[in-house]
Short mmCIF file of all heavy atoms in Angstrom, two decimals:
data_model
loop_
_atom_site.label_atom_id
_atom_site.label_comp_id
_atom_site.label_asym_id
_atom_site.label_seq_id
_atom_site.Cartn_x
_atom_site.Cartn_y
_atom_site.Cartn_z
N LYS H 1 -5.89 -3.59 11.75
CA LYS H 1 -7.13 -2.90 11.38
C LYS H 1 -7.69 -2.04 12.51
O LYS H 1 -8.49 -1.13 12.26
CB LYS H 1 -8.18 -3.91 10.91
CG LYS H 1 -8.63 -4.91 11.94
CD LYS H 1 -9.62 -5.90 11.30
CE LYS H 1 -10.09 -6.96 12.29
NZ LYS H 1 -11.00 -7.93 11.63
N HIS H 2 -7.26 -2.30 13.75
CA HIS H 2 -7.70 -1.44 14.85
C HIS H 2 -6.84 -0.18 14.95
O HIS H 2 -7.16 0.73 15.73
CB HIS H 2 -7.66 -2.21 16.17
CG HIS H 2 -6.27 -2.56 16.63
ND1 HIS H 2 -5.50 -3.50 15.99
CD2 HIS H 2 -5.52 -2.08 17.65
CE1 HIS H 2 -4.34 -3.60 16.61
NE2 HIS H 2 -4.32 -2.75 17.61
N LEU H 3 -5.76 -0.12 14.15
CA LEU H 3 -4.88 1.04 14.15
C LEU H 3 -5.15 1.98 12.98
O LEU H 3 -5.04 3.20 13.12
CB LEU H 3 -3.41 0.60 14.10
CG LEU H 3 -2.91 -0.38 15.16
CD1 LEU H 3 -1.43 -0.67 14.93
CD2 LEU H 3 -3.13 0.19 16.56
N THR H 4 -5.49 1.40 11.83
CA THR H 4 -5.64 2.20 10.63
C THR H 4 -6.47 1.45 9.60
O THR H 4 -6.84 0.29 9.82
CB THR H 4 -4.26 2.55 10.03
OG1 THR H 4 -4.42 3.49 8.97
CG2 THR H 4 -3.55 1.30 9.52
N SER H 5 -6.70 2.09 8.46
CA SER H 5 -7.42 1.44 7.37
C SER H 5 -6.52 0.42 6.69
O SER H 5 -5.33 0.67 6.49
CB SER H 5 -7.87 2.50 6.35
OG SER H 5 -8.34 1.90 5.16
N ILE H 6 -7.07 -0.74 6.34
CA ILE H 6 -6.30 -1.74 5.62
C ILE H 6 -7.04 -2.11 4.33
O ILE H 6 -8.27 -1.98 4.24
CB ILE H 6 -6.06 -3.01 6.47
CG1 ILE H 6 -7.39 -3.72 6.80
CG2 ILE H 6 -5.29 -2.68 7.72
CD1 ILE H 6 -7.20 -5.08 7.47
N THR H 7 -6.28 -2.54 3.33
CA THR H 7 -6.89 -2.91 2.05
C THR H 7 -6.00 -3.91 1.32
O THR H 7 -4.79 -3.98 1.58
CB THR H 7 -7.10 -1.67 1.16
OG1 THR H 7 -7.75 -2.07 -0.06
CG2 THR H 7 -5.77 -1.01 0.81
N ASN H 8 -6.59 -4.65 0.42
CA ASN H 8 -5.83 -5.53 -0.47
C ASN H 8 -6.04 -5.13 -1.93
O ASN H 8 -5.80 -5.91 -2.84
CB ASN H 8 -6.20 -7.00 -0.26
CG ASN H 8 -7.66 -7.28 -0.57
OD1 ASN H 8 -8.45 -6.37 -0.82
ND2 ASN H 8 -8.03 -8.56 -0.57
N SER H 9 -6.48 -3.90 -2.14
CA SER H 9 -6.72 -3.37 -3.49
C SER H 9 -5.91 -2.10 -3.71
O SER H 9 -6.10 -1.10 -3.00
CB SER H 9 -8.21 -3.08 -3.70
OG SER H 9 -8.42 -2.41 -4.92
N LEU H 10 -5.02 -2.12 -4.70
CA LEU H 10 -4.24 -0.93 -5.02
C LEU H 10 -5.13 0.19 -5.56
O LEU H 10 -4.78 1.37 -5.47
CB LEU H 10 -3.15 -1.28 -6.03
CG LEU H 10 -2.02 -2.18 -5.52
CD1 LEU H 10 -1.12 -2.62 -6.66
CD2 LEU H 10 -1.20 -1.46 -4.45
N GLU H 11 -6.26 -0.17 -6.12
CA GLU H 11 -7.19 0.83 -6.64
C GLU H 11 -7.85 1.64 -5.53
O GLU H 11 -8.39 2.72 -5.77
CB GLU H 11 -8.27 0.15 -7.49
CG GLU H 11 -7.72 -0.53 -8.75
CD GLU H 11 -8.81 -1.23 -9.53
OE1 GLU H 11 -9.96 -1.25 -9.05
OE2 GLU H 11 -8.50 -1.76 -10.62
N LEU H 12 -7.79 1.12 -4.30
CA LEU H 12 -8.43 1.79 -3.17
C LEU H 12 -7.43 2.56 -2.30
O LEU H 12 -7.77 3.01 -1.21
CB LEU H 12 -9.18 0.77 -2.31
CG LEU H 12 -10.36 0.07 -2.99
CD1 LEU H 12 -11.01 -0.92 -2.03
CD2 LEU H 12 -11.39 1.08 -3.49
N LEU H 13 -6.20 2.71 -2.78
CA LEU H 13 -5.21 3.47 -2.02
C LEU H 13 -5.66 4.92 -1.89
O LEU H 13 -6.12 5.54 -2.85
CB LEU H 13 -3.84 3.41 -2.69
CG LEU H 13 -3.10 2.08 -2.69
CD1 LEU H 13 -1.73 2.24 -3.34
CD2 LEU H 13 -2.96 1.51 -1.29
N VAL H 14 -5.49 5.48 -0.70
CA VAL H 14 -5.88 6.86 -0.44
C VAL H 14 -4.71 7.79 -0.75
O VAL H 14 -3.56 7.35 -0.92
CB VAL H 14 -6.34 7.04 1.02
CG1 VAL H 14 -7.58 6.20 1.28
CG2 VAL H 14 -5.23 6.66 1.99
N ASP H 15 -4.99 9.08 -0.82
CA ASP H 15 -3.94 10.06 -1.09
C ASP H 15 -3.06 10.23 0.15
O ASP H 15 -3.57 10.35 1.28
CB ASP H 15 -4.56 11.41 -1.47
CG ASP H 15 -5.27 11.36 -2.81
OD1 ASP H 15 -4.86 10.53 -3.65
OD2 ASP H 15 -6.22 12.13 -3.02
N ALA H 16 -1.76 10.27 -0.08
CA ALA H 16 -0.82 10.40 1.02
C ALA H 16 0.40 11.20 0.58
O ALA H 16 0.61 11.42 -0.62
CB ALA H 16 -0.39 9.01 1.51
N ASP H 17 1.20 11.62 1.56
CA ASP H 17 2.44 12.34 1.25
C ASP H 17 3.54 11.37 0.81
O ASP H 17 4.33 11.69 -0.07
CB ASP H 17 2.92 13.11 2.48
CG ASP H 17 1.93 14.18 2.92
OD1 ASP H 17 1.47 14.95 2.06
OD2 ASP H 17 1.61 14.21 4.12
N VAL H 18 3.57 10.19 1.42
CA VAL H 18 4.60 9.19 1.10
C VAL H 18 3.97 7.80 1.05
O VAL H 18 3.18 7.44 1.93
CB VAL H 18 5.73 9.19 2.15
CG1 VAL H 18 6.82 8.19 1.76
CG2 VAL H 18 6.34 10.58 2.32
N TYR H 19 4.32 7.05 0.02
CA TYR H 19 3.92 5.66 -0.12
C TYR H 19 5.18 4.81 0.05
O TYR H 19 6.12 4.91 -0.75
CB TYR H 19 3.28 5.38 -1.48
CG TYR H 19 2.00 6.15 -1.71
CD1 TYR H 19 2.03 7.45 -2.21
CD2 TYR H 19 0.76 5.57 -1.44
CE1 TYR H 19 0.86 8.17 -2.41
CE2 TYR H 19 -0.41 6.28 -1.65
CZ TYR H 19 -0.35 7.58 -2.13
OH TYR H 19 -1.52 8.28 -2.32
N ILE H 20 5.21 3.98 1.09
CA ILE H 20 6.39 3.17 1.38
C ILE H 20 6.16 1.75 0.91
O ILE H 20 5.32 1.02 1.46
CB ILE H 20 6.71 3.18 2.89
CG1 ILE H 20 6.93 4.62 3.38
CG2 ILE H 20 7.95 2.33 3.18
CD1 ILE H 20 7.16 4.72 4.88
N LEU H 21 6.92 1.33 -0.11
CA LEU H 21 6.78 -0.02 -0.67
C LEU H 21 7.75 -0.96 0.04
O LEU H 21 8.93 -1.03 -0.30
CB LEU H 21 7.09 -0.02 -2.17
CG LEU H 21 5.93 0.36 -3.12
CD1 LEU H 21 5.50 1.80 -2.89
CD2 LEU H 21 6.36 0.17 -4.56
N ALA H 22 7.25 -1.65 1.05
CA ALA H 22 8.05 -2.65 1.76
C ALA H 22 7.65 -4.02 1.24
O ALA H 22 7.01 -4.82 1.93
CB ALA H 22 7.82 -2.54 3.27
N VAL H 23 8.02 -4.27 -0.01
CA VAL H 23 7.62 -5.49 -0.72
C VAL H 23 8.87 -6.19 -1.25
O VAL H 23 9.99 -5.66 -1.15
CB VAL H 23 6.66 -5.17 -1.87
CG1 VAL H 23 5.38 -4.55 -1.33
CG2 VAL H 23 7.30 -4.24 -2.90
N SER H 24 8.70 -7.36 -1.85
CA SER H 24 9.84 -8.07 -2.43
C SER H 24 10.43 -7.27 -3.58
O SER H 24 9.74 -6.47 -4.23
CB SER H 24 9.40 -9.45 -2.93
OG SER H 24 8.50 -9.32 -4.01
N ASP H 25 11.71 -7.48 -3.85
CA ASP H 25 12.39 -6.73 -4.90
C ASP H 25 11.68 -6.87 -6.25
O ASP H 25 11.52 -5.90 -7.00
CB ASP H 25 13.84 -7.21 -5.03
CG ASP H 25 14.68 -6.85 -3.82
OD1 ASP H 25 14.16 -6.16 -2.92
OD2 ASP H 25 15.85 -7.26 -3.77
N ASP H 26 11.26 -8.09 -6.56
CA ASP H 26 10.62 -8.35 -7.86
C ASP H 26 9.29 -7.63 -8.01
O ASP H 26 8.85 -7.35 -9.12
CB ASP H 26 10.41 -9.85 -8.05
CG ASP H 26 11.72 -10.61 -8.22
OD1 ASP H 26 12.74 -9.96 -8.55
OD2 ASP H 26 11.73 -11.83 -8.02
N ALA H 27 8.64 -7.33 -6.90
CA ALA H 27 7.32 -6.71 -6.95
C ALA H 27 7.37 -5.19 -7.06
O ALA H 27 6.35 -4.56 -7.36
CB ALA H 27 6.51 -7.11 -5.71
N ILE H 28 8.53 -4.59 -6.85
CA ILE H 28 8.64 -3.13 -6.83
C ILE H 28 8.19 -2.48 -8.14
O ILE H 28 7.38 -1.54 -8.12
CB ILE H 28 10.07 -2.70 -6.44
CG1 ILE H 28 10.33 -3.02 -4.97
CG2 ILE H 28 10.29 -1.21 -6.70
CD1 ILE H 28 11.77 -2.83 -4.54
N PRO H 29 8.69 -2.93 -9.30
CA PRO H 29 8.27 -2.28 -10.55
C PRO H 29 6.77 -2.36 -10.79
O PRO H 29 6.13 -1.35 -11.14
CB PRO H 29 9.05 -3.05 -11.62
CG PRO H 29 10.24 -3.61 -10.91
CD PRO H 29 9.73 -3.95 -9.54
N GLU H 30 6.20 -3.53 -10.61
CA GLU H 30 4.78 -3.72 -10.90
C GLU H 30 3.89 -2.90 -9.97
O GLU H 30 2.99 -2.20 -10.43
CB GLU H 30 4.41 -5.20 -10.77
CG GLU H 30 2.94 -5.47 -11.05
CD GLU H 30 2.55 -6.92 -10.82
OE1 GLU H 30 3.45 -7.71 -10.48
OE2 GLU H 30 1.37 -7.24 -11.00
#
């Protein structure tokens, strides 16, 4: 949090050029 904005809400995602999903395989579709 001292480096950048953090959140636990997908509804609060900001606009970006690239969204990198480094999550479990099962979570990728959802």
